[in-house]
Amino acid sequence: MMNETEMTFEAALARLEEIVRELENGAAPLDQSLMLFEEGVRLVKLCGNRLDEAEQKIRILMKKEDGSYEERPFGQDQG
């Protein structure tokens, strides 16, 4: 298995989906279920961090009154 810190968002999300299916199945022993749950928590944090990083990179261009454009961080008030 790939090191979690090296995983892409897509790989982490796919692994998280596998973990959810395994836990929902209910066939794993308690110890294995706990390990899967802990891995899932780490992957949720990783995915959240990757989404935060992506959001910070997204920029929007806002047209100013003089016709020029300025770059603003995504989500900043448009007022």
Side-chain angles (χ1 to χ4, degrees):
M1 186 172 91
M2 183 183 299
N3 182 344
E4 288 175 10
T5 58
E6 298 172 358
M7 291 179 110
T8 63
F9 174 81
E10 294 79 7
L13 189 59
R15 176 62 184 142
L16 188 55
E17 290 171 348
E18 289 174 16
I19 290 170
V20 169
R21 280 193 297 275
E22 289 182 51
L23 290 173
E24 286 179 340
N25 183 352
L30 180 60
D31 288 347
Q32 184 181 0
S33 294
L34 288 172
M35 287 176 26
L36 287 169
F37 180 80
E38 290 171 354
E39 181 183 356
V41 169
R42 288 191 307 271
L43 290 171
V44 166
K45 289 179 183 179
L46 176 78
C47 288
N49 288 339
R50 295 285 162 81
L51 287 173
D52 289 343
E53 291 168 6
E55 184 176 0
Q56 290 174 5
K57 290 180 182 179
I58 295 173
R59 300 279 186 224
I60 56 173
L61 291 175
M62 300 298 297
K63 191 170 187 176
K64 294 173 23 177
E65 289 181 24
D66 65 3
S68 65
Y69 291 89
E70 68 178 339
E71 189 176 294
R72 291 188 185 169
F74 177 78
Q76 184 174 351
D77 286 2
Q78 308 212 4

